[in-house]
Amino acid sequence: DSGVTQTPKHLITATGQRVTLRCSPRSGDLSVYWYQQSLDQGLQFLIQYYNGEERAKGNILERFSAQQFPDLHSELNLSSLELGDSALYFCASSALGNTEAFFGQGTRLTVV
Amino acid sequence: AQSVTQPDIHITVSEGASLELRCNYSYGATPYLFWYVQSPGQGLQLLLKYFSGDTLVQGIKGFEAEFKRSQSSFNLRKPSVHWSDAAEYFCAVVPFGNEKLTFGTGTRLTIIP
């Protein structure tokens, strides 16, 4: 158990819909990262938050957004969903100044 | 271009045989180097990491990796694999001055009896 909790584990939704994925980082970790894993793109970095502020942005679509709340949990919002958004979405967390990231079990999103 | 490469998409080894998974990186300065394992339906688990110092690093589950600056490589090894080692293995880097992981494409390991 990495200490990073992601909910839900599985999500099936229709095209055009909006979903929210939730991540609770390890206790004390201030950084949260979101990654997307798909068959064609592999593991892609989406976005990083540090103590509530956006810190780095990767290959995140404009239809996607994220935030980190004062209690340090984070949410990834995916809107106007397309079939190609079907993927495994991982959250990871790390401590201040530590590049070692711990990953959650992921949320498997299926868009039908 | 900066990249991390895992040249082997799929490797099959017999149980009890030795294993070496290859990883090469292309960055101006030596990045931080990691190996993660992903079992079916599971998240990513850190096997080992290299920041500096001794170029042979020991990890969990009997794995080790050797950093070779001259070859820009960080290959993962295990002397004797077990059926439970069947999984996808990812090499990852954190470039100098950065915080996010960049992953290779992964190597799927199959173990045969």
PDB file of all heavy atoms in Angstrom, chain A residues 82-107:
ATOM      1  N   GLU A  82     -14.420  12.046 -24.708  1.00  0.00           N
ATOM      2  CA  GLU A  82     -14.369  11.383 -26.001  1.00  0.00           C
ATOM      3  C   GLU A  82     -13.903   9.947 -25.785  1.00  0.00           C
ATOM      4  O   GLU A  82     -13.312   9.618 -24.756  1.00  0.00           O
ATOM      5  CB  GLU A  82     -13.402  12.127 -26.926  1.00  0.00           C
ATOM      6  CG  GLU A  82     -13.752  13.583 -27.129  1.00  0.00           C
ATOM      7  CD  GLU A  82     -12.699  14.324 -27.934  1.00  0.00           C
ATOM      8  OE1 GLU A  82     -11.676  13.713 -28.315  1.00  0.00           O
ATOM      9  OE2 GLU A  82     -12.910  15.535 -28.187  1.00  0.00           O
ATOM     10  N   LEU A  83     -14.144   9.117 -26.791  1.00  0.00           N
ATOM     11  CA  LEU A  83     -13.739   7.715 -26.681  1.00  0.00           C
ATOM     12  C   LEU A  83     -12.246   7.599 -26.379  1.00  0.00           C
ATOM     13  O   LEU A  83     -11.816   6.735 -25.616  1.00  0.00           O
ATOM     14  CB  LEU A  83     -14.070   6.965 -27.970  1.00  0.00           C
ATOM     15  CG  LEU A  83     -15.553   6.834 -28.334  1.00  0.00           C
ATOM     16  CD1 LEU A  83     -15.704   6.114 -29.667  1.00  0.00           C
ATOM     17  CD2 LEU A  83     -16.322   6.108 -27.237  1.00  0.00           C
ATOM     18  N   GLY A  84     -11.465   8.475 -26.971  1.00  0.00           N
ATOM     19  CA  GLY A  84     -10.018   8.446 -26.805  1.00  0.00           C
ATOM     20  C   GLY A  84      -9.531   8.822 -25.421  1.00  0.00           C
ATOM     21  O   GLY A  84      -8.341   8.673 -25.123  1.00  0.00           O
ATOM     22  N   ASP A  85     -10.435   9.297 -24.579  1.00  0.00           N
ATOM     23  CA  ASP A  85     -10.048   9.626 -23.207  1.00  0.00           C
ATOM     24  C   ASP A  85     -10.052   8.389 -22.319  1.00  0.00           C
ATOM     25  O   ASP A  85      -9.614   8.456 -21.168  1.00  0.00           O
ATOM     26  CB  ASP A  85     -11.009  10.675 -22.619  1.00  0.00           C
ATOM     27  CG  ASP A  85     -10.968  11.985 -23.370  1.00  0.00           C
ATOM     28  OD1 ASP A  85      -9.879  12.356 -23.872  1.00  0.00           O
ATOM     29  OD2 ASP A  85     -12.022  12.646 -23.478  1.00  0.00           O
ATOM     30  N   SER A  86     -10.540   7.288 -22.831  1.00  0.00           N
ATOM     31  CA  SER A  86     -10.509   6.036 -22.077  1.00  0.00           C
ATOM     32  C   SER A  86      -9.061   5.689 -21.759  1.00  0.00           C
ATOM     33  O   SER A  86      -8.213   5.605 -22.654  1.00  0.00           O
ATOM     34  CB  SER A  86     -11.143   4.903 -22.882  1.00  0.00           C
ATOM     35  OG  SER A  86     -12.509   5.157 -23.116  1.00  0.00           O
ATOM     36  N   ALA A  87      -8.775   5.513 -20.481  1.00  0.00           N
ATOM     37  CA  ALA A  87      -7.397   5.295 -20.043  1.00  0.00           C
ATOM     38  C   ALA A  87      -7.396   5.008 -18.555  1.00  0.00           C
ATOM     39  O   ALA A  87      -8.428   5.068 -17.889  1.00  0.00           O
ATOM     40  CB  ALA A  87      -6.533   6.526 -20.328  1.00  0.00           C
ATOM     41  N   LEU A  88      -6.204   4.716 -18.079  1.00  0.00           N
ATOM     42  CA  LEU A  88      -5.976   4.577 -16.639  1.00  0.00           C
ATOM     43  C   LEU A  88      -5.350   5.888 -16.166  1.00  0.00           C
ATOM     44  O   LEU A  88      -4.358   6.357 -16.740  1.00  0.00           O
ATOM     45  CB  LEU A  88      -5.025   3.403 -16.404  1.00  0.00           C
ATOM     46  CG  LEU A  88      -4.857   2.814 -15.009  1.00  0.00           C
ATOM     47  CD1 LEU A  88      -6.187   2.489 -14.374  1.00  0.00           C
ATOM     48  CD2 LEU A  88      -3.993   1.563 -15.096  1.00  0.00           C
ATOM     49  N   TYR A  89      -5.945   6.492 -15.169  1.00  0.00           N
ATOM     50  CA  TYR A  89      -5.452   7.763 -14.653  1.00  0.00           C
ATOM     51  C   TYR A  89      -4.849   7.530 -13.273  1.00  0.00           C
ATOM     52  O   TYR A  89      -5.510   7.041 -12.364  1.00  0.00           O
ATOM     53  CB  TYR A  89      -6.581   8.800 -14.589  1.00  0.00           C
ATOM     54  CG  TYR A  89      -7.046   9.220 -15.961  1.00  0.00           C
ATOM     55  CD1 TYR A  89      -7.981   8.467 -16.666  1.00  0.00           C
ATOM     56  CD2 TYR A  89      -6.502  10.346 -16.582  1.00  0.00           C
ATOM     57  CE1 TYR A  89      -8.385   8.828 -17.942  1.00  0.00           C
ATOM     58  CE2 TYR A  89      -6.896  10.716 -17.861  1.00  0.00           C
ATOM     59  CZ  TYR A  89      -7.829   9.941 -18.532  1.00  0.00           C
ATOM     60  OH  TYR A  89      -8.218  10.303 -19.797  1.00  0.00           O
ATOM     61  N   PHE A  90      -3.588   7.898 -13.166  1.00  0.00           N
ATOM     62  CA  PHE A  90      -2.868   7.709 -11.917  1.00  0.00           C
ATOM     63  C   PHE A  90      -2.634   9.043 -11.236  1.00  0.00           C
ATOM     64  O   PHE A  90      -2.353  10.055 -11.869  1.00  0.00           O
ATOM     65  CB  PHE A  90      -1.499   7.067 -12.160  1.00  0.00           C
ATOM     66  CG  PHE A  90      -1.542   5.607 -12.455  1.00  0.00           C
ATOM     67  CD1 PHE A  90      -1.239   5.142 -13.721  1.00  0.00           C
ATOM     68  CD2 PHE A  90      -1.860   4.693 -11.460  1.00  0.00           C
ATOM     69  CE1 PHE A  90      -1.262   3.786 -14.004  1.00  0.00           C
ATOM     70  CE2 PHE A  90      -1.888   3.340 -11.730  1.00  0.00           C
ATOM     71  CZ  PHE A  90      -1.593   2.888 -13.005  1.00  0.00           C
ATOM     72  N   CYS A  91      -2.676   8.989  -9.935  1.00  0.00           N
ATOM     73  CA  CYS A  91      -2.246  10.084  -9.087  1.00  0.00           C
ATOM     74  C   CYS A  91      -0.999   9.609  -8.339  1.00  0.00           C
ATOM     75  O   CYS A  91      -0.881   8.425  -7.992  1.00  0.00           O
ATOM     76  CB  CYS A  91      -3.365  10.427  -8.109  1.00  0.00           C
ATOM     77  SG  CYS A  91      -2.903  11.532  -6.788  1.00  0.00           S
ATOM     78  N   ALA A  92      -0.083  10.517  -8.131  1.00  0.00           N
ATOM     79  CA  ALA A  92       1.110  10.222  -7.351  1.00  0.00           C
ATOM     80  C   ALA A  92       1.360  11.389  -6.410  1.00  0.00           C
ATOM     81  O   ALA A  92       0.928  12.518  -6.665  1.00  0.00           O
ATOM     82  CB  ALA A  92       2.318  10.000  -8.255  1.00  0.00           C
ATOM     83  N   SER A  93       2.063  11.120  -5.325  1.00  0.00           N
ATOM     84  CA  SER A  93       2.421  12.211  -4.415  1.00  0.00           C
ATOM     85  C   SER A  93       3.868  12.079  -3.983  1.00  0.00           C
ATOM     86  O   SER A  93       4.458  10.997  -4.036  1.00  0.00           O
ATOM     87  CB  SER A  93       1.485  12.244  -3.200  1.00  0.00           C
ATOM     88  OG  SER A  93       1.751  11.183  -2.302  1.00  0.00           O
ATOM     89  N   SER A  94       4.438  13.200  -3.607  1.00  0.00           N
ATOM     90  CA  SER A  94       5.806  13.209  -3.102  1.00  0.00           C
ATOM     91  C   SER A  94       5.946  14.296  -2.049  1.00  0.00           C
ATOM     92  O   SER A  94       5.161  15.243  -1.993  1.00  0.00           O
ATOM     93  CB  SER A  94       6.815  13.416  -4.232  1.00  0.00           C
ATOM     94  OG  SER A  94       6.723  14.712  -4.751  1.00  0.00           O
ATOM     95  N   ALA A  95       6.991  14.135  -1.247  1.00  0.00           N
ATOM     96  CA  ALA A  95       7.239  15.102  -0.178  1.00  0.00           C
ATOM     97  C   ALA A  95       8.031  16.285  -0.719  1.00  0.00           C
ATOM     98  O   ALA A  95       8.581  16.240  -1.818  1.00  0.00           O
ATOM     99  CB  ALA A  95       7.999  14.426   0.952  1.00  0.00           C
ATOM    100  N   LEU A  96       8.117  17.318   0.058  1.00  0.00           N
ATOM    101  CA  LEU A  96       8.858  18.517  -0.325  1.00  0.00           C
ATOM    102  C   LEU A  96      10.293  18.160  -0.664  1.00  0.00           C
ATOM    103  O   LEU A  96      10.966  17.488   0.110  1.00  0.00           O
ATOM    104  CB  LEU A  96       8.836  19.521   0.832  1.00  0.00           C
ATOM    105  CG  LEU A  96       9.719  20.751   0.688  1.00  0.00           C
ATOM    106  CD1 LEU A  96       9.259  21.604  -0.477  1.00  0.00           C
ATOM    107  CD2 LEU A  96       9.731  21.553   1.978  1.00  0.00           C
ATOM    108  N   GLY A  97      10.750  18.590  -1.837  1.00  0.00           N
ATOM    109  CA  GLY A  97      12.134  18.392  -2.232  1.00  0.00           C
ATOM    110  C   GLY A  97      12.514  16.952  -2.506  1.00  0.00           C
ATOM    111  O   GLY A  97      13.683  16.627  -2.689  1.00  0.00           O
ATOM    112  N   ASN A  98      11.534  16.075  -2.594  1.00  0.00           N
ATOM    113  CA  ASN A  98      11.819  14.652  -2.813  1.00  0.00           C
ATOM    114  C   ASN A  98      11.252  14.242  -4.158  1.00  0.00           C
ATOM    115  O   ASN A  98      10.061  14.381  -4.395  1.00  0.00           O
ATOM    116  CB  ASN A  98      11.185  13.838  -1.692  1.00  0.00           C
ATOM    117  CG  ASN A  98      11.636  12.384  -1.701  1.00  0.00           C
ATOM    118  OD1 ASN A  98      12.114  11.889  -2.710  1.00  0.00           O
ATOM    119  ND2 ASN A  98      11.472  11.712  -0.580  1.00  0.00           N
ATOM    120  N   THR A  99      12.096  13.734  -5.027  1.00  0.00           N
ATOM    121  CA  THR A  99      11.611  13.365  -6.356  1.00  0.00           C
ATOM    122  C   THR A  99      10.993  11.973  -6.377  1.00  0.00           C
ATOM    123  O   THR A  99      10.510  11.544  -7.409  1.00  0.00           O
ATOM    124  CB  THR A  99      12.761  13.414  -7.365  1.00  0.00           C
ATOM    125  OG1 THR A  99      13.827  12.598  -6.882  1.00  0.00           O
ATOM    126  CG2 THR A  99      13.256  14.834  -7.549  1.00  0.00           C
ATOM    127  N   GLU A 100      11.047  11.252  -5.284  1.00  0.00           N
ATOM    128  CA  GLU A 100      10.475   9.906  -5.244  1.00  0.00           C
ATOM    129  C   GLU A 100       8.964  10.004  -5.104  1.00  0.00           C
ATOM    130  O   GLU A 100       8.452  10.510  -4.105  1.00  0.00           O
ATOM    131  CB  GLU A 100      11.051   9.114  -4.078  1.00  0.00           C
ATOM    132  CG  GLU A 100      10.501   7.710  -3.972  1.00  0.00           C
ATOM    133  CD  GLU A 100      11.194   6.905  -2.887  1.00  0.00           C
ATOM    134  OE1 GLU A 100      12.285   7.323  -2.459  1.00  0.00           O
ATOM    135  OE2 GLU A 100      10.636   5.887  -2.464  1.00  0.00           O
ATOM    136  N   ALA A 101       8.259   9.552  -6.120  1.00  0.00           N
ATOM    137  CA  ALA A 101       6.804   9.653  -6.135  1.00  0.00           C
ATOM    138  C   ALA A 101       6.165   8.312  -5.837  1.00  0.00           C
ATOM    139  O   ALA A 101       6.631   7.268  -6.291  1.00  0.00           O
ATOM    140  CB  ALA A 101       6.342  10.152  -7.501  1.00  0.00           C
ATOM    141  N   PHE A 102       5.082   8.353  -5.077  1.00  0.00           N
ATOM    142  CA  PHE A 102       4.323   7.156  -4.732  1.00  0.00           C
ATOM    143  C   PHE A 102       2.985   7.219  -5.456  1.00  0.00           C
ATOM    144  O   PHE A 102       2.302   8.238  -5.406  1.00  0.00           O
ATOM    145  CB  PHE A 102       4.129   7.085  -3.212  1.00  0.00           C
ATOM    146  CG  PHE A 102       5.414   6.875  -2.474  1.00  0.00           C
ATOM    147  CD1 PHE A 102       6.229   7.947  -2.152  1.00  0.00           C
ATOM    148  CD2 PHE A 102       5.816   5.602  -2.115  1.00  0.00           C
ATOM    149  CE1 PHE A 102       7.424   7.761  -1.480  1.00  0.00           C
ATOM    150  CE2 PHE A 102       7.012   5.403  -1.447  1.00  0.00           C
ATOM    151  CZ  PHE A 102       7.822   6.475  -1.126  1.00  0.00           C
ATOM    152  N   PHE A 103       2.645   6.120  -6.099  1.00  0.00           N
ATOM    153  CA  PHE A 103       1.476   6.087  -6.968  1.00  0.00           C
ATOM    154  C   PHE A 103       0.290   5.399  -6.318  1.00  0.00           C
ATOM    155  O   PHE A 103       0.437   4.423  -5.570  1.00  0.00           O
ATOM    156  CB  PHE A 103       1.806   5.354  -8.268  1.00  0.00           C
ATOM    157  CG  PHE A 103       2.607   6.175  -9.227  1.00  0.00           C
ATOM    158  CD1 PHE A 103       3.963   6.375  -9.041  1.00  0.00           C
ATOM    159  CD2 PHE A 103       1.998   6.773 -10.328  1.00  0.00           C
ATOM    160  CE1 PHE A 103       4.703   7.154  -9.920  1.00  0.00           C
ATOM    161  CE2 PHE A 103       2.722   7.552 -11.214  1.00  0.00           C
ATOM    162  CZ  PHE A 103       4.078   7.742 -11.006  1.00  0.00           C
ATOM    163  N   GLY A 104      -0.891   5.905  -6.641  1.00  0.00           N
ATOM    164  CA  GLY A 104      -2.121   5.229  -6.289  1.00  0.00           C
ATOM    165  C   GLY A 104      -2.397   4.080  -7.238  1.00  0.00           C
ATOM    166  O   GLY A 104      -1.630   3.827  -8.172  1.00  0.00           O
ATOM    167  N   GLN A 105      -3.519   3.394  -6.992  1.00  0.00           N
ATOM    168  CA  GLN A 105      -3.881   2.227  -7.804  1.00  0.00           C
ATOM    169  C   GLN A 105      -4.490   2.619  -9.144  1.00  0.00           C
ATOM    170  O   GLN A 105      -4.623   1.789 -10.027  1.00  0.00           O
ATOM    171  CB  GLN A 105      -4.894   1.365  -7.043  1.00  0.00           C
ATOM    172  CG  GLN A 105      -4.369   0.793  -5.735  1.00  0.00           C
ATOM    173  CD  GLN A 105      -3.401  -0.344  -5.971  1.00  0.00           C
ATOM    174  OE1 GLN A 105      -3.757  -1.377  -6.525  1.00  0.00           O
ATOM    175  NE2 GLN A 105      -2.159  -0.176  -5.559  1.00  0.00           N
ATOM    176  N   GLY A 106      -4.828   3.871  -9.283  1.00  0.00           N
ATOM    177  CA  GLY A 106      -5.365   4.341 -10.553  1.00  0.00           C
ATOM    178  C   GLY A 106      -6.873   4.268 -10.626  1.00  0.00           C
ATOM    179  O   GLY A 106      -7.523   3.521  -9.894  1.00  0.00           O
ATOM    180  N   THR A 107      -7.418   5.076 -11.526  1.00  0.00           N
ATOM    181  CA  THR A 107      -8.838   5.033 -11.875  1.00  0.00           C
ATOM    182  C   THR A 107      -8.923   4.645 -13.344  1.00  0.00           C
ATOM    183  O   THR A 107      -8.342   5.326 -14.194  1.00  0.00           O
ATOM    184  CB  THR A 107      -9.518   6.392 -11.669  1.00  0.00           C
ATOM    185  OG1 THR A 107      -9.543   6.713 -10.282  1.00  0.00           O
ATOM    186  CG2 THR A 107     -10.945   6.365 -12.227  1.00  0.00           C
TER     187      THR A 107
END
